[in-house]
């Protein structure tokens, strides 16, 4: 199993990741969520391809375990993907968030972030 995904258990852990990494893609998910399970391998593959330590991180936040983080970002549907630059939520390819198991939009956002990360590396 790859260690390219950061498993976040609290808002404080997410904040620490934001402080240490320029770009962060976050998957807000739940264990009981069917679409979350369907898209998880795609998210893992994107992390394996694009993650660059300190520059681009991929995180998973279980909304049942890290309710504070889910509340902070107003997550109301799973999965929800959000993108951050220097700790602030940003739009990637016109999306501030992607709700649902939308593989094409998620892939496009990860490719965009991966390109930006490579430029910063």
């Amino acid at each position: 199993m790859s260690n390219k995904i950061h498993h976040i258990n609290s808002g404080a852990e997410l904040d620490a990741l934001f402080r240490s990494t320029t770009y962060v893609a976050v998957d807000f998910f739940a264990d009981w969520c069917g679409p979350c399970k369907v898209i998880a391998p795609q998210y893992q593959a994107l992390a394996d391809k694009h993650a660059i330590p300190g520059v681009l991180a991929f995180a998973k936040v279980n909304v049942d375990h890290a309710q504070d983080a889910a509340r902070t970002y107003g997550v109301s549907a799973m999965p929800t993907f959000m993108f951050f630059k220097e700790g602030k939520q940003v739009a990637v390819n016109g999306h501030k968030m992607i709700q649902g198991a939308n593989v094409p939009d998620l892939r496009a956002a990860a490719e965009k972030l991966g390109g930006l990360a490579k430029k910063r590396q």
Side-chain angles (χ1 to χ4, degrees):
M1 180 175 209
S2 170
N3 62 356
K4 300 253 178 148
I5 291 183
H6 299 262
H7 294 274
I8 303 297
N9 295 305
S10 69
E13 284 184 23
L14 188 57
D15 289 341
L17 183 59
F18 291 154
R19 286 191 300 276
S20 69
T21 308
T22 305
Y23 299 101
V24 180
V26 181
D27 173 7
F28 290 94
F29 76 102
D31 291 331
W32 47 263
C33 166
C36 298
K37 292 175 186 176
V38 170
I39 202 164
Q42 297 288 328
Y43 190 71
Q44 180 68 60
L46 293 168
D48 290 343
K49 181 177 180 182
H50 296 292
I52 300 171
V55 183
L56 173 56
F58 289 76
K60 287 183 74 77
V61 176
N62 185 318
V63 298
D64 292 326
H65 299 157
Q67 293 177 7
D68 59 338
R71 267 192 307 277
T72 297
Y73 296 101
V75 175
S76 60
M78 275 66 69
T80 293
F81 300 91
M82 292 184 186
F83 313 101
F84 298 83
K85 179 182 179 186
E86 298 170 348
K88 293 183 176 33
Q89 188 178 358
V90 295
V92 177
N93 294 338
H95 299 284
K96 278 199 108 171
M97 72 176 67
I98 298 169
Q99 291 184 317
N102 186 330
V103 174
D105 282 353
L106 180 60
R107 185 175 295 128
E111 294 287 337
K112 175 75 171 186
L113 287 174
L116 292 169
K118 284 180 184 171
K119 288 179 184 177
R120 278 209 172 230
Q121 190 179 24

